Amino acid sequence: MGALVGATVATGHLEELKEFVLGVKLSNMVRLIGPTVPTAGLANAGGAMDELRRVIGDIRIEDCPIPYTAVASDIVSQEEVWITTGPIVDAVRASIAIPVVFTPVPRNGRWLLDGGCTNPLPIEPLQNVVADTVVAVSLQEPPQSPPTSRDIVKLDLASTAILATDATLSSLQRARATINPPDVLIGIPCDLVGFLDMHRAAFVMDAARDIVIKALDEAGL
């Protein structure tokens, strides 16, 4: 979801996103996820993209006041794809297309999925950007507590797909971070928030804030 949050930062609408997610209730989740007839994915995220468009408008990436790049993955060629032009909402939709969960997105003759499939910690787009400090956020950190057999029994299809993907991405992320280490790496435990936990935004924000403050203090920032 880094592409989504980053889009609101790049367009100057982070506070509006915060206000929206703090108002999300469990009953809103079905509309936001947009379940569809299962083909290449279980949902199309139509409701979530409608809300994002309402928050940031129809701005194009090249018109953003802050430089922005969304990272996606070409499902056919298995290549990493950097999206630096075009409607920013469309770029976000491609970048967050978690395999199995969300349907792939057609763009310029390609079928795009979540950028994390090829690069779960995309630091490379910043190599040509003048920045004092590069801060990366990892969502594949070890869980705070190991799952029990009861937890595993309660997993739904979407959560299972995400956990299976995370297992692979965690190893890939460690390798990529060794090649291009950020100045600060903020690690979020993978069990802090679940796929359907958007209605718990207040709790997640408070917990993540403590993690961020600790990481920045350790980095001397």
Side-chain angles (χ1 to χ4, degrees), residues 1-2 9 14 43-44 55 57 97 103 108 116 118 131 154 163 166 171-172 175 187 198 218:
M1 292 299 172
V9 173
L14 181 61
N44 58 25
V55 169
T103 52
N108 297 335
T118 49
K154 292 190 297 183
L163 287 175
D166 281 348
S171 297
L172 176 58
M198 193 182 294
E218 291 176 349

Side-chain angles (χ1 to χ4, degrees), residues 4-24 31-32 46-59 88-89 92 198:
L4 191 155
V5 176
T8 63
V9 173
T11 57
H13 294 287
L14 181 61
E15 282 302 312
E16 289 94 324
L17 176 66
K18 177 181 176 181
E19 291 177 9
F20 167 70
V21 297
L22 287 174
V24 172
R31 182 181 65 82
L32 293 174
M49 293 302 99
D50 287 344
E51 289 296 338
L52 179 61
R53 187 173 286 102
R54 180 187 63 80
V55 169
I56 68 177
D58 291 317
I59 188 170
I88 196 168
V89 173
V92 170
M198 193 182 294

Side-chain angles (χ1 to χ4, degrees), residues 3-209:
L4 191 155
V5 176
T8 63
V9 173
T11 57
H13 294 287
L14 181 61
E15 282 302 312
E16 289 94 324
L17 176 66
K18 177 181 176 181
E19 291 177 9
F20 167 70
V21 297
L22 287 174
V24 172
K25 296 179 173 54
L26 185 58
S27 58
N28 302 140
M29 292 304 296
V30 172
R31 182 181 65 82
L32 293 174
I33 294 172
T36 186
V37 176
T39 51
L42 299 174
N44 58 25
M49 293 302 99
D50 287 344
E51 289 296 338
L52 179 61
R53 187 173 286 102
R54 180 187 63 80
V55 169
I56 68 177
D58 291 317
I59 188 170
R60 296 179 63 85
I61 295 175
E62 52 267 44
D63 296 327
C64 290
I66 297 176
Y68 174 88
T69 299
V71 179
S73 303
D74 186 318
I75 191 175
V76 177
S77 68
Q78 301 179 12
E79 295 175 319
E80 180 179 336
V81 178
W82 296 1
I83 305 176
T84 58
T85 61
I88 196 168
V89 173
D90 293 347
V92 170
R93 174 62 179 85
S95 187
I96 68 169
I98 302 170
V100 180
V101 179
F102 293 126
T103 52
V105 175
R107 178 184 170 88
N108 297 335
R110 298 175 179 258
W111 284 98
L112 303 182
L113 282 175
D114 189 344
C117 295
T118 49
N119 190 351
L121 201 67
I123 300 171
E124 291 82 358
L126 297 176
Q127 289 181 337
N128 295 322
V129 175
V130 178
D132 295 326
T133 304
V134 175
V135 179
V137 180
S138 165
L139 302 180
Q140 271 88 39
E141 296 304 297
Q144 297 168 306
S145 56
T148 65
S149 57
R150 178 176 298 179
D151 294 329
I152 294 173
V153 169
K154 292 190 297 183
L155 287 174
D156 55 31
L157 179 59
S159 297
T160 302
I162 292 171
L163 287 175
T165 301
D166 281 348
T168 302
L169 296 185
S170 181
S171 297
L172 176 58
Q173 176 181 280
R174 287 193 294 270
R176 297 296 289 259
T178 300
I179 298 172
N180 292 298
D183 297 311
V184 181
L185 178 59
I186 299 172
I188 306 296
C190 61
D191 62 344
L192 178 62
V193 58
F195 177 66
L196 298 177
D197 285 345
M198 193 182 294
H199 62 292
R200 300 175 60 230
F203 162 76
V204 175
M205 287 181 186
D206 288 340
R209 184 179 296 110

